[in-house]
Amino acid sequence: GGGLFGAENAAKGLYLWSRSPGTGKTMLMDMFFDLVPLPATSKRRVHFHDFMLDVHRRTHRAGSVADPLACVADELSSEAALLCLDELMVTDVADAMIIGRLFEALWARGMVVVGTSNRHPTELYENGLQRELFLPFIDALQERCVIHEIASGTDYRHRANLSKASTYFVGEDAAAQLERRVTLTAGGGPPEELQADEVPVQMGRTLEVPRAAKLNRAALFDYEELC
């Protein structure tokens, strides 16, 4: 349909980039995602790596149809009108060879794409195999999205209370210090309580997290638990 989202009159997307870490790219995108006037079922926010894993799974599931990427684009565009991708970085040749056709199909179906990256679009997949086949995607990305550099030399993560705390501990109370660090809350509030949790990982599996501080997006593991 028409309006801000839809193939007939789709708004341009936005590509936020900065070579410096901690400049607020992801924070800005997340604020936009939270505030954009769309129902939660019409927008998707995902890390770019996880998004491409999902695309490959869907392509495999499509089987031997004439154009599996078109099927994948149909699915994705029916699930969300807005796609927010964090940390857009292309290093895998398998990704590079399908990204152009995939995103052209998504844009043709009216999807609006917003992304963050540590690279300017012209630097994506730099020195990659068969990069000449990837170049049309770079041109399309710059046409379909506003390219905006976050030109700040400040890493704002180091201005937060959590980043001022130590991150390597020694001594008899090292374990207790580490737990206090993980549960430390911004603004000097009471420590967060650790709880068991599980997080999704690749291929539909989940990872059991025995001690998680959900607000801080941090977790404690013993070496044996991970290995």
Side-chain angles (χ1 to χ4, degrees), residues 2-60:
L4 180 62
F5 299 91
E8 294 178 17
N9 190 30
K12 272 199 169 189
L14 177 63
Y15 182 96
L16 296 172
W17 74 281
S18 172
R19 290 190 181 87
S20 303
T23 55
K25 300 183 295 293
T26 297
M27 181 192 72
L28 288 171
M29 185 182 74
D30 286 345
M31 289 173 63
F32 167 74
F33 181 82
D34 290 339
L35 295 173
V36 69
L38 281 175
T41 53
S42 296
K43 56 186 179 180
R44 181 183 183 190
R45 191 269 193 214
V46 62
H47 191 279
F48 181 74
H49 176 71
D50 294 332
F51 173 72
M52 291 308 301
L53 285 174
D54 181 41
V55 167
H56 287 297
R57 281 194 295 267
R58 291 173 188 252
T59 304
H60 178 73

Side-chain angles (χ1 to χ4, degrees), residues 98-173:
I98 67 171
I99 280 175
R101 287 201 300 123
L102 171 66
F103 277 84
E104 281 291 359
L106 293 175
W107 285 319
R109 287 158 176 78
M111 182 174 280
V112 174
V113 177
V114 174
T116 71
S117 181
N118 290 328
R119 291 174 179 256
H120 187 273
T122 57
E123 299 169 346
L124 291 172
Y125 197 51
E126 204 164 35
N127 301 318
L129 291 171
Q130 297 181 292
R131 188 172 187 258
E132 66 278 4
L133 300 178
F134 182 78
L135 296 179
F137 168 70
I138 294 176
D139 294 337
L141 181 65
Q142 294 184 102
E143 179 183 343
R144 295 279 191 167
C145 295
V146 174
I147 311 301
H148 183 77
E149 180 182 7
I150 307 294
S152 171
T154 302
D155 186 340
Y156 289 97
R157 297 171 302 177
H158 294 305
R159 294 193 170 188
N161 289 345
L162 299 181
S163 296
K164 292 179 180 177
S166 299
T167 53
Y168 186 82
F169 305 100
V170 295
E172 294 181 359
D173 65 340

